[in-house]
Amino acid sequence: MTDANGADRGGIRVASPVGRWVVLTTVLGSGMALLDSTVINVALPRIGQDLGTDLAALQWTVNAYMLTLAGLILLGGALGDRFGRRRVFLVGVVWFAVASLLCGIAPNAGVLVAARALQGVGGALLTPGSLAIIQASFHPDDRARAVGLWSGFGGVGAAVGPFLGGWLVDGPGWRWVFLLNLPLAAVCVPVALRHVPESRDPDAHGRFDVLGAALAALSLALVTYALIEVPEQGASAMVIGAAVGGVALGAAFVRVERHRADPMVPPSIFSSRQFTSVNIVTFCVYAALGGFFFLSAIQLQVVAGYSALGAGTALLPTTVLMLLFSASAGDLGRRIGPRIPLTVGPLLAAAGMLLMLRVGPGASYPLDVLPAVLVLGLGMVTLVAPLTATVLAAVETGRAGLASGINNAAARAAGLLAVAALPLLAGMGPEAYRDAGEFASTFRRAMPMCAGLLVAGSVIAWWAVRATPAARPEPRPACSTHCGVTAPPLEPEPGSGHT
């Protein structure tokens, strides 16, 4: 039987009015976080100029968001399972919107960084909820179609983001990159309250692993602080203390997770060699991608002389290739197994990054930039969908949400550490982004490092990933962003973070 809203005993139908409203709500919510992540790198040079900041402040503008998101995303999934996915999703949307307002009116870099950290908390609440709502609300026969619609609209958002963000930065100003979230939230909240059914996990029990989440976030924060501040402060007591403290808290996190009855990251899940290996590959790949997109957006503007819109558009072919060919790459990975795609894909992406070394003052887009982003995009197409499928196939079906969440957090933590460490390793000074010559020379040192991470991921995949095809088909397409610009990540499924 079907009610007036288009729902039956098994759930909502996509073709029903309420089904379309549910899809719209989840797209709007996840789209808020997606738009910010696709345009923030393009806005960095203008933010630095307007607020008079150094490179470290720009690094924190990116990393403050990723830090709280990576540290709390598993906890956010567990909160939704326990207290209601719609409720936690809406709290995340409102939280994200308020934090976006603070970003948009920030009078200085310190306020902007603090507001970005608050944005990450909101993102940790709404990101797991968007896909969990779809999974819990729709009829089993319609879930794949609903996820496909969510993925498709998310892909459109990723494609539109660079255009919109570049136009905003060059036009009304970078503050509108954040203020744009306010009307999106104003539409999302009432629609969700009226049309989205509440759902929760009836089997959710036990206490939340708040201690584990806090230890993970603080460990990342201290290590990130040490990496970002050492170029300016040197081996000061503060920097050394932060580094030692971060490592100690990381060790404490591992110990706590081993002994808790209800850990956020159960150590037993890493008993699968396949799961552990693919997460190491994920870390290498998304560290390289995170560093690449952070530095390339600045290189195109500061060194090559592109506008913000031009820089965002220049990197768009990677997104287009992902939209066109990710499904085919996923099918190929299922037929031949993940080993070859996870070996070849990082090598192609590494070649694309090395081609970016040709981009300098007066660089020609068709001759210098386009070949690099096309080769990079082909590498991403080759590896991302098989990476997603292999992570989920490496564990039993009941732990797919947890596996997805762990892989998501690993990718975001990788990008966080890369943005913190690469400028240090490449020798970028605090004012490097203001000097085209200095930034260009350090960019030439950083790109081989990013390519080296991808080669390391390729070697690990060839050595450790099984050559046989995945044991079960990929349950959903990957879409959205791990690295913050174009690469589609896993979004945690229902149950993510709950054991």
Side-chain angles (χ1 to χ4, degrees):
M1 295 180 65
T2 303
D3 63 22
N5 289 326
D8 59 25
R9 293 179 181 179
I12 297 168
R13 292 291 185 174
V14 170
S16 67
V18 70
R20 290 191 287 269
W21 283 117
V22 171
V23 171
L24 174 64
T25 302
T26 57
V27 168
L28 286 174
S30 59
M32 291 169 58
L34 178 61
L35 281 173
D36 267 20
S37 64
T38 56
V39 302
I40 186 62
N41 288 339
V42 173
L44 289 175
R46 196 67 55 83
I47 291 173
Q49 292 171 12
D50 287 355
L51 298 182
T53 64
D54 58 12
L55 181 64
L58 299 186
Q59 291 172 274
W60 277 115
T61 301
V62 175
N63 279 349
Y65 175 80
M66 290 197 290
L67 177 63
T68 50
L69 180 61
L72 300 176
I73 195 168
L74 286 171
L75 183 61
L79 289 171
D81 290 343
R82 174 78 67 83
F83 296 115
R85 295 170 181 124
R86 185 187 69 172
R87 177 183 299 174
V88 173
F89 173 80
L90 285 175
V91 171
V93 169
V94 174
W95 189 305
F96 196 92
V98 172
S100 297
L101 175 61
L102 294 176
C103 290
I105 64 175
N108 54 56
V111 174
L112 177 60
V113 169
R116 286 284 287 167
L118 291 175
Q119 266 194 322
V121 176
L125 297 175
L126 72 86
T127 299
S130 61
L131 194 58
I133 287 172
I134 289 178
Q135 190 77 3
S137 301
F138 283 96
H139 189 282
D141 294 341
D142 279 12
R143 284 175 187 162
R145 184 182 174 195
V147 171
L149 289 171
W150 177 84
S151 299
F153 284 117
V156 171
V160 170
F163 288 108
L164 181 60
W167 178 80
L168 289 172
V169 172
D170 287 338
W174 63 266
R175 295 181 184 275
W176 285 94
V177 169
F178 302 108
L179 297 177
L180 184 65
N181 292 321
L182 301 182
L184 294 178
V187 174
C188 182
V189 171
V191 170
L193 289 172
R194 180 174 178 82
H195 296 289
V196 175
E198 184 60 280
S199 64
R200 53 177 54 86
D201 183 357
D203 298 324
H205 59 83
R207 295 181 299 173
F208 297 113
D209 188 8
V210 176
L211 177 59
L215 288 173
L218 288 173
S219 174
L220 283 173
L222 290 174
V223 171
T224 301
Y225 174 85
L227 290 171
I228 291 177
E229 295 300 326
V230 70
E232 187 170 354
Q233 298 187 26
S236 66
M238 183 71 73
V239 169
I240 294 175
V244 173
V247 173
L249 289 176
F253 169 75
V254 173
R255 181 176 178 83
V256 166
E257 297 302 283
R258 284 179 174 175
H259 292 89
R260 282 187 70 92
D262 51 351
M264 181 176 71
V265 182
S268 61
I269 197 170
F270 293 100
S271 62
S272 165
R273 174 182 171 179
Q274 187 89 328
F275 180 78
T276 302
S277 301
V278 174
N279 274 285
I280 295 174
V281 174
T282 296
F283 189 90
C284 293
V285 166
Y286 284 102
L289 291 175
F292 171 82
F293 285 111
F294 173 73
L295 297 176
S296 293
I298 301 176
Q299 173 80 357
L300 288 170
Q301 294 177 73
V302 173
V303 178
Y306 284 42
S307 65
L309 177 59
T313 306
L315 300 173
L316 184 61
T318 57
T319 302
V320 174
L321 288 172
M322 294 295 298
L323 290 174
L324 293 177
F325 300 114
S326 283
S328 299
D331 291 338
L332 177 64
R334 282 193 290 271
R335 289 197 301 270
I336 68 174
R339 188 181 187 187
I340 293 177
L342 296 186
T343 301
V344 174
L347 294 178
L348 284 172
M353 292 183 183
L354 293 178
L355 285 174
M356 280 294 291
L357 294 173
R358 302 171 59 189
V359 177
S364 165
Y365 182 74
L367 297 179
D368 298 320
V369 181
L370 184 59
V373 297
L374 285 177
V375 174
L376 173 66
L378 289 174
M380 291 166 60
V381 165
T382 304
L383 72 91
V384 170
L387 189 69
T388 299
T390 307
V391 165
L392 297 177
V395 300
E396 57 269 29
T397 303
R399 305 185 97 178
L402 176 64
S404 172
I406 291 173
N407 190 250
N408 197 326
R412 296 181 189 276
L416 164 74
L417 294 175
V419 170
L422 268 177
L424 168 64
L425 296 175
M428 290 185 183
E431 303 297 323
Y433 80 96
R434 300 179 186 274
D435 186 310
E438 181 182 353
F439 193 88
S441 63
T442 52
F443 182 82
R444 286 193 293 270
R445 291 195 289 270
M447 284 303 98
M449 297 177 190
C450 292
L453 283 168
L454 288 166
V455 172
S458 174
V459 171
I460 292 169
W462 178 257
W463 175 71
V465 174
R466 292 197 304 269
T468 54
R472 57 187 177 88
E474 182 181 358
R476 54 181 171 79
C479 189
S480 189
T481 59
H482 259 331
C483 65
V485 179
T486 54
L490 292 160
E491 296 284 354
E493 294 179 355
S496 176
H498 168 73
T499 58

